[in-house]
Amino acid sequence: MADKKITIALAGNPNSGKTTLFNTLTGSNQFVGNWPGVTVEKKEGRLKKHDDVMIEDLPGIYSLSPYTMEEVVSRNFLIDEKPDGILNIVDGTNLERNLYLTTQLSELGIPMVVAVNMLDLVEKNGDTINLDKLSSVIGCPVVAISALKGTNVAEAAEKAVAAARSGKAPKPAAFSADTEAVLQKIADLLPGVPESLKRWYTIKVFERDDKVMARLNPDSRISDIIKAAETAADDDSESIVTNERYEFITRSLQGVYSKKGAGELSVSDRIDKIVTNRWLALPIFFVIMWLVYYVSVTTVGTWVTDWTNDGLFGDGYFLFGNGREQYDEAMNGYYAENIWTDEVIANVDKAVEAGVPGADEIQAAIAEEDYGAFDEAYEFYGVELDEKENGVYSISETVDAALEAEGVPAPEDFGTWVKGVPVIVEGFLDGIGVNDFLKGLIIDGIIGGVGAVLGFVPQMLVLFLFLAFLESCGYMARIAFVMDRLFRKFGLSGKSFIPVLIGTGCGVPGVMASRTIENERDRRMTIMTTTFIPCGAKLPIIAMIATALFHGAAWVATSAYFLGMAAIIVSGIILKKTKMFAGEPAPFVMELPAYHWPTVSNILRSTWERGWSFIKKAGTIILLSSIVIWLGSTFGWTDGAFGWNPDLELEESVLGAIGNAVKWIFAPLGFDNIKATIATVMGLVAKEEVVGVFGVLDFEGLTPLAGYSFLAFNLLCAPCFAAIGAIRREMNNAKWTWFAIGYQCLLAYVVAFIIYQIGGVFTGTGNVIGMIVALALIAGIGWLLFRPYKEAARLESITA
Ligand code: GDP
Ligand code: MG
């Protein structure tokens, strides 16, 4: 009987200890590859002391829905490859959440053993788990283990092997009588489905799971059965099933898990007394978020980003900074002698008096004898001086001549000078005699565009590192809890906050996370508002505006974050007061995991995963669009003839023509600037593009106020195509998708308009009509915020 080779799948939530267990069970006996057709890692290994048993480490998942690559891979494996047994590992300190997956695994008709992991932690907390009772309610053998300490690990494996050999499937979770009756009706209309998978397919058909529907193409009468059930429960079928699962878990866990005597406060509880305190919680959260953004965007971030932009993807840099000081000194001396001549100083002084934008910065740089600051200000505002009074203020001739002349200090003479990527590539291309078109394409188009985006990777990694830490130590869960208290005051559910949190990384999983919200109206509202929070890709936009227009002030990043939060809360309140979204928020129950020090490898992995997906995007979609932008900006009309010309003014290019045609839309927001217009439009492809556009077309000509308005618009308007796709999938309805996009763009427009017009009053660039309209809009928003809840809505929520 021991002849047959068997396969056991190791399944469980992320961080439940699968990899730890897998390594213990298989020793070094493992093969790592990819699942066919996808890049999710596949790990296989032979069970120690059992040559005929293979263990397959499935990706960590929370459920078997068809929404993420990991879930799809796991389901396909379980259904199509049909392993002989499942060893389901669950985190004993977080049973409730972990058993959700267990209820789904138990429907597959595959023999299963549940390994309750982290026994050491459970015992340390003084808690106890009644294994016999748990085993009888979930209908399969249960073993308590500690994968880390190796406790009972071999026993769990033996039980799984025995279960697999016996072929005895677990008992699936039982739902309420109503739901069971509906499922029975559906099951009767599903002939031809293998008996062992009947429960699974029935439930998936009830949930209208795309993949299963496509595979089975079931009887059309089923659709009516589902609709009737949904009307009866006033909920969609997927939520019905989710509720049933949680109810089953709640019932099952009664008397199974007992916490150590109440009244005693653990360290975790004591921290929570402060961190979730009614008055202190929000201020603490603000301070933490401010610190996180301050460190990642302003200090560490700027330092590394400057190096990447000006050094690695710029002219070059000194190895380890050796020679930097001497070189700077020499340059300052050279500038003082050849550039900051009496004539130039007089011109700049005149320009300052006449109020030419930026002239004061150039003046200050000269006064401080800082060539770096001078270059930066000159690059930015030199044009302004040139344009004024037929060149009376112009200093460009002197500057250009001095920089072209012999005798400019060469960095190579002061230390080990490492040339930047563009310089190296240019040298190489010149060497092999590439024509100008190709050279421009590679250096300005590709390296310029992709480099500008990659320059923000270090900054983002720092941010992701902090977020990963806050997430895995358990703080973020507290914030959701605190936010629930706040949101509830406005009639919103704290559950809406989890998608927002996830959305700080990327809007796509953020939007997808909204599916944990059972109430359809709350869910739709959350989908519509989640992407207001700045995602990782919007961070470079914030950093760019902060650095270029606000001297890297930390408040820009922090305010952008809170602008997003405010947009979410304000939208929540406004929408909740419309008839479409009225109703009481769903109660929010969540286990707060104990605080703990996350492992370094976990944090690094999560940081890297987020960062890597960003880098991948830079290598594909951003690469392509950088090329398109570069082509669009170098093809155009010179003296009426169309053709390629690297020195084309933006206005004369194809891109410029397009920008010109639509820029009027943004005039009331202060950025009827071709580049800002193109950047905004390209932002729909991917938000990283916004920075990419400025990278390829280089930065110029936004006032700080217009810049901030531009920032506000780009943060709040419709997200990138990928996130819009996610919205479409989650809404599962074209009309709602368009409504969401329309709402986001409208809100973005109104907010940017108010910022620009009211800000104009203070900077002296405002006009009366704009201000009146802005005040009217503010009054309108105020009315929407403070009007009473709809009478109809009240009644509905009472009877619902
Ligand atoms: P996976 O994501 O499911 O593969 O989980 P890992 O094997 O990477 O484990 C996640 C974290 O939990 C790691 O930091 C492990 O060291 C820790 N861990 C795993 N099993 C145990 C256990 O039995 N007790 C304790 N205290 N920690 C564990
Ligand atoms: Mg793992």
Side-chain angles (χ1 to χ4, degrees):
M1 123 180 161
D3 300 334
K4 201 185 143 234
K5 253 186 161 357
I6 60 173
T7 308
I8 291 181
L10 199 56
N13 286 8
N15 286 324
S16 56
K18 270 183 300 89
T19 304
T20 313
L21 179 62
F22 178 81
N23 290 341
T24 327
L25 291 181
T26 60
S28 53
N29 243 340
Q30 49 172 294
F31 322 106
V32 180
N34 277 329
W35 299 88
V38 287
T39 53
V40 176
E41 205 172 78
K42 173 188 175 105
K43 269 197 253 154
E44 277 181 313
R46 205 163 276 138
L47 179 60
K48 276 195 223 159
K49 303 199 200 113
H50 288 263
D51 277 348
D52 51 351
V53 178
M54 291 299 281
I55 309 260
E56 192 90 31
D57 188 17
L58 295 184
I61 45 173
Y62 293 109
S63 114
L64 286 178
S65 55
Y67 300 106
T68 68
M69 195 50 94
E70 285 78 10
E71 288 169 354
V72 172
V73 163
S74 299
R75 296 167 39 139
N76 287 352
F77 181 80
L78 292 169
I79 290 172
D80 299 333
E81 317 264 317
K82 263 202 158 302
D84 304 284
I86 298 176
L87 181 52
N88 174 209
I89 179 161
V90 303
D91 176 353
T93 63
N94 212 333
L95 270 184
E96 187 164 310
R97 192 189 68 204
N98 278 249
L99 286 180
Y100 187 71
L101 177 67
T102 307
T103 62
Q104 295 182 315
L105 294 173
S106 70
E107 284 151 7
L108 297 167
I110 302 173
M112 178 161 87
V113 169
V114 170
V116 177
N117 192 25
M118 316 260 177
L119 182 62
D120 53 323
L121 288 183
V122 174
E123 283 173 348
K124 203 167 118 201
N125 292 344
D127 302 342
T128 50
I129 300 175
N130 184 337
L131 295 177
D132 291 337
K133 193 155 179 199
L134 185 62
S135 165
S136 84
V137 283
I138 61 181
C140 72
V142 177
V143 194
I145 66 167
S146 167
L148 193 67
K149 308 252 145 76
T151 323
N152 289 350
V153 166
E155 186 193 342
E158 293 302 339
K159 283 217 162 133
V161 172
R165 292 238 153 88
S166 79
K168 190 168 163 281
K171 179 179 80 182
F175 298 161
S176 70
D178 287 349
T179 309
E180 287 296 345
V182 175
L183 291 179
Q184 188 55 50
K185 274 194 241 167
I186 296 176
D188 292 343
L189 292 171
L190 287 178
V193 173
E195 204 48 44
S196 64
L197 279 170
K198 193 118 196 185
R199 177 84 181 169
W200 157 262
Y201 275 123
T202 308
I203 292 175
K204 287 294 144 189
V205 165
F206 181 53
E207 289 178 325
R208 299 197 188 86
D209 181 294
D210 300 345
K211 301 221 152 59
V212 166
M213 290 308 235
R215 193 186 280 201
L216 292 186
N217 196 14
D219 195 302
S220 59
R221 278 169 293 174
I222 288 180
S223 158
D224 296 331
I225 299 179
I226 303 175
K227 279 207 198 95
E230 287 179 323
T231 317
D234 189 22
D235 213 343
D236 65 298
S237 62
E238 226 179 320
S239 309
I240 295 176
V241 174
T242 307
N243 278 338
E244 291 283 5
R245 292 194 194 285
Y246 274 118
E247 268 165 33
F248 172 79
I249 293 169
T250 318
R251 275 197 312 273
S252 308
L253 283 183
Q254 268 164 17
V256 164
Y257 198 100
S258 38
K259 284 220 173 287
K260 197 183 164 191
E264 246 173 275
L265 287 186
S266 64
V267 180
S268 210
D269 291 337
R270 263 175 277 162
I271 299 178
D272 273 344
K273 273 216 138 49
I274 301 169
V275 167
T276 63
N277 175 285
R278 184 168 294 275
W279 304 109
L280 293 178
L282 282 180
I284 291 177
F285 177 54
F286 289 158
V287 169
I288 289 180
M289 278 337 261
W290 185 82
L291 272 178
V292 164
Y293 273 79
Y294 181 79
V295 174
S296 36
V297 176
T298 308
T299 56
V300 183
T302 319
W303 184 80
V304 191
T305 303
D306 279 353
W307 172 77
T308 338
N309 284 340
D310 301 338
L312 190 61
F313 288 106
D315 294 332
Y317 54 96
F318 284 104
L319 195 64
F320 307 124
N322 287 340
R324 166 59 59 195
E325 233 169 81
Q326 292 86 331
Y327 173 69
D328 285 350
E329 220 164 89
M331 283 299 266
N332 283 337
Y334 182 82
Y335 270 58
E337 201 166 307
N338 301 291
I339 295 184
W340 301 327
T341 59
D342 292 342
E343 193 200 340
V344 164
I345 294 177
N347 274 350
V348 172
D349 288 348
K350 258 191 280 172
V352 173
E353 254 163 60
V356 175
D360 50 343
E361 289 197 22
I362 298 181
Q363 191 185 41
I366 297 177
E368 282 166 23
E369 302 208 346
D370 181 343
Y371 85 96
F374 177 84
D375 273 355
E376 202 172 299
Y378 173 73
E379 212 169 282
F380 233 74
Y381 298 111
V383 196
E384 303 276 354
L385 268 69
D386 270 348
E387 278 172 2
K388 292 288 153 18
E389 312 272 316
N390 303 323
V392 171
Y393 309 134
S394 174
I395 57 172
S396 56
E397 247 172 63
T398 317
V399 177
D400 292 347
L403 291 180
E404 301 272 305
E406 301 262 317
V408 185
E412 291 86 354
D413 300 339
F414 296 86
T416 315
W417 176 253
V418 184
K419 287 182 184 146
V421 174
V423 181
I424 297 173
V425 175
E426 187 169 4
F428 172 75
L429 295 177
D430 282 342
I432 57 172
V434 167
N435 69 17
D436 282 351
F437 177 78
L438 206 56
K439 195 170 128 187
L441 173 69
I442 294 174
I443 292 178
D444 299 330
I446 298 177
I447 299 182
V450 175
V453 176
L454 285 185
F456 291 95
V457 167
Q459 214 167 22
M460 265 169 26
L461 289 181
V462 177
L463 178 78
F464 291 159
L465 196 75
F466 278 114
L467 292 180
F469 177 81
L470 290 177
E471 235 167 60
S472 48
C473 75
Y475 180 69
M476 284 307 196
R478 265 71 187 184
I479 283 309
F481 173 75
V482 169
M483 283 295 168
D484 184 53
R485 229 164 31 198
L486 178 73
F487 277 29
R488 191 159 293 275
K489 285 210 180 71
F490 305 120
L492 310 175
S493 161
K495 279 198 175 175
S496 310
F497 190 69
I498 305 269
V500 172
L501 266 184
I502 299 176
T504 55
C506 169
V508 174
V511 167
M512 291 200 306
S514 63
R515 58 181 33 257
T516 54
I517 302 171
E518 295 90 14
N519 181 305
E520 185 168 38
R521 286 169 295 206
D522 287 358
R523 191 172 62 234
R524 283 202 184 119
M525 197 167 76
T526 306
I527 297 172
M528 284 173 66
T529 54
T530 294
T531 55
F532 287 147
I533 204 75
C535 66
K538 288 176 186 167
L539 194 71
I541 313 179
I542 302 174
M544 175 183 77
I545 296 288
T547 315
L549 300 172
F550 295 94
H551 306 284
W555 66 264
V556 177
T558 317
S559 71
Y561 192 81
F562 288 110
L563 186 67
M565 288 291 283
I568 293 170
I569 295 183
V570 167
S571 302
I573 300 172
I574 291 180
L575 294 174
K576 206 66 194 173
K577 291 194 181 188
T578 62
K579 231 178 137 193
M580 272 182 296
F581 293 97
E584 294 292 323
F588 174 57
V589 200
M590 174 170 178
E591 281 175 72
L592 293 182
Y595 285 105
H596 56 270
W597 284 108
T599 58
V600 175
S601 73
N602 262 344
I603 292 196
L604 290 183
R605 180 147 27 88
S606 143
T607 306
W608 177 245
E609 266 163 21
R610 286 180 174 182
W612 177 237
S613 71
F614 181 84
I615 296 172
K616 264 196 302 212
K617 236 198 281 180
T620 50
I621 194 162
I622 294 171
L623 177 73
L624 269 179
S625 25
S626 293
I627 294 176
V628 170
I629 292 170
W630 181 80
L631 288 176
S633 65
T634 51
F635 272 97
W637 296 266
T638 321
D639 302 327
F642 185 82
W644 184 74
N645 176 357
D647 301 320
L648 215 51
E649 292 288 328
L650 186 53
E651 283 76 11
E652 296 162 343
S653 68
V654 174
L655 207 56
I658 300 172
N660 247 332
V662 292
K663 70 175 189 188
W664 57 270
I665 300 175
F666 302 113
L669 312 185
F671 53 95
D672 57 336
N673 165 305
I674 301 180
K675 210 185 308 177
T677 305
I678 297 169
T680 304
V681 174
M682 292 307 288
L684 290 176
V685 177
K687 292 293 166 197
E688 293 88 338
E689 269 313 313
V690 174
V691 175
V693 168
F694 282 98
V696 176
L697 303 176
D698 82 66
F699 203 100
E700 169 213 326
L702 282 181
T703 66
L705 179 61
Y708 196 82
S709 152
F710 170 78
L711 176 63
F713 184 83
N714 275 284
L715 290 185
L716 301 180
C717 73
C720 64
F721 284 153
I724 293 178
I727 292 178
R728 171 79 237 283
R729 269 198 311 277
E730 295 304 311
M731 288 285 193
N732 204 2
N733 176 314
K735 237 171 43 200
W736 274 103
T737 309
W738 284 111
F739 179 70
I741 294 171
Y743 177 79
Q744 290 161 344
C745 291
L746 180 71
L747 183 81
Y749 199 89
V750 168
V751 170
F753 182 87
I754 293 175
I755 289 176
Y756 184 68
Q757 298 295 344
I758 299 292
V761 175
F762 298 99
T763 59
T765 52
N767 66 68
V768 180
I769 301 178
M771 196 187 70
I772 294 175
V773 178
L775 288 176
L777 285 171
I778 294 177
I781 294 175
W783 179 76
L784 287 172
L785 274 178
F786 294 109
R787 72 193 173 126
Y789 284 92
K790 276 242 173 318
E791 196 59 32
R794 277 273 166 225
L795 286 178
E796 198 181 336
S797 71
I798 291 166
T799 52

